[in-house]
Amino acid sequence: MRKIFFGFALTVLATGVGLAQVATPAPAAVPLPSTASAVSQGGAGTTMLLWPGGAPGALGDEDIDKPTLTVFLPAGPNATKTGVVVAPGGGYTHLAMEKEGFAFARWLNERGVAAFVLQYRLGMKYHHPIELEDAQRAIRMVRAHAAEYGVATDHIGMWGSSAGGHLTATAGTKFDMGKADASDVIEQQGSRPDFLILSYPVITFHQPDLHRGSLKFLLGDSPDPALVDSLSAETQVTKETPPTFLFATTDDKTVPVINSVMFYSALVKAGVPAEMHLFQHGSHGAGLAVGNPQLSGWPDLLAKWMRERGYMAP
């Protein structure tokens, strides 16, 4: 296999059968006043509680105790009937709702894809499994209301950045098929995403490549080593893990690029279709990299991948 180490990007594609490497440049939801600005929403976002009757495990009644989903539907046809739950990053202490949430939703809408921005509970007050439960509930909710949103139940992906990437990778490796006998129609739905998009994700909680802040705020100061291993997503990949697209930069000073490499390697070993684009330069938290000539082409690579897999129309 030819290896190329010059240029701005390293692109790795895995189909599960071979490897190529090239250089490239329920109950009715309850609407709420949106946490997005009018500019962020573009007039399209509607925010709802994940649990209208109160979230399980809630430790109060403030906004931070109420996980939400903001729905963005494309103005034109959603030809592929695809929806994407978007999990912003922020080290499990805050959420980059605009840069890694609403901006991604608008980008998807402009390409005919529905988007659902997740505001999940955070580690200043909540630890695992609360965050995962919020993510799973979001996927179940979209699946339960798929017809209403114009999406197919088997075309629901999840896109996460940084710590949101960790949450997304966890949702893609720890899921269930739902509870068929549940009285809540949302809980009857499976929580497995149909595909994953990971932007400069936190993946491992193992030395020396972990992001310490994400570990601390998700699991606390002295987590059980078994739990640390269980939530190091590279150790949890199986053949049932969804197809995955990864984007990261080699000189990321916040989350070591090896996090993406480890997850990609685990996907290849499990025979899961995967594609990874590693750019040489670029700081952490690039988002869509608008105005950044080194990275601004990466969303086009994502769009190409989505089109090839039938998740975005030409």
Side-chain angles (χ1 to χ4, degrees):
M1 176 172 59
R2 183 167 60 97
K3 295 184 179 180
I4 301 175
F5 296 98
F6 299 98
F8 290 106
L10 172 65
T11 298
V12 190
L13 316 175
T15 64
V17 295
L19 185 68
Q21 197 166 7
V22 297
T24 68
V30 178
L32 296 173
S34 176
T35 56
S37 68
V39 172
S40 297
Q41 291 189 73
T46 301
T47 301
M48 62 191 71
L49 292 169
L50 287 181
W51 283 276
L59 300 175
D61 195 39
E62 301 177 77
D63 287 345
I64 59 173
D65 304 303
K66 301 173 182 178
T68 64
L69 201 63
T70 301
V71 180
F72 292 79
L73 301 180
N78 185 341
T80 62
K81 298 188 180 301
T82 300
V84 180
V85 174
V86 180
Y92 287 117
T93 65
H94 66 280
L95 295 176
M97 292 294 285
E98 169 55 34
K99 192 172 188 179
E100 296 171 352
F102 304 130
F104 289 1
R106 292 195 301 272
W107 184 88
L108 289 164
N109 279 184
E110 289 165 0
R111 288 153 184 81
V113 175
F116 308 86
V117 181
L118 172 63
Q119 180 173 303
Y120 51 95
R121 286 172 283 181
L122 294 168
M124 300 296 289
K125 193 170 185 179
Y126 295 95
H127 294 315
H128 177 77
I130 293 296
E131 292 83 352
L132 177 59
E133 291 172 353
D134 290 352
Q136 291 174 332
R137 176 72 174 189
I139 296 165
R140 297 187 212 277
M141 178 175 280
V142 174
R143 199 158 268 142
H145 292 278
E148 174 187 342
Y149 298 141
V151 304
T153 57
D154 60 352
H155 271 214
I156 299 169
M158 188 167 180
W159 181 354
S161 304
S162 192
H166 179 267
L167 182 59
T168 297
T170 305
T173 52
K174 296 181 180 296
F175 50 81
D176 60 62
M177 295 300 105
K179 301 175 183 177
D181 59 350
S183 58
D184 181 352
V185 67
I186 294 175
E187 293 301 315
Q188 295 173 11
Q189 310 301 315
S191 66
R192 179 185 181 272
D194 295 301
F195 60 93
L196 305 179
I197 303 167
L198 304 178
S199 307
Y200 38 87
V202 174
I203 293 293
T204 190
F205 283 156
H206 290 150
Q207 297 282 6
D209 299 306
L210 75 164
H211 180 251
R212 295 182 183 278
S214 294
L215 172 63
K216 171 182 172 66
F217 288 104
L218 183 66
L219 299 183
D221 292 321
S222 301
D224 184 332
L227 186 59
V228 169
D229 187 64
S230 177
L231 289 171
S232 294
E234 80 280 6
T235 71
Q236 305 300 304
V237 172
T238 72
K239 64 180 181 179
E240 302 302 324
T241 302
T244 302
F245 177 99
L246 297 107
F247 151 69
T249 57
T250 302
D251 55 9
D252 188 327
K253 299 297 191 295
T254 302
V255 176
V257 69
I258 198 67
N259 279 254
S260 293
V261 175
M262 292 168 74
F263 196 69
Y264 171 81
S265 179
L267 292 167
V268 172
K269 290 177 181 177
V272 176
E275 179 167 321
M276 179 172 65
H277 296 270
L278 302 182
F279 289 72
Q280 181 178 349
H281 297 303
S283 60
H284 189 74
L288 292 172
V290 176
N292 182 337
Q294 294 177 323
L295 300 178
S296 59
W298 91 260
D300 294 333
L301 298 171
L302 170 58
K304 178 177 180 290
W305 180 82
M306 292 183 70
R307 291 185 185 110
E308 289 172 348
R309 299 200 65 83
Y311 296 129
M312 184 179 287

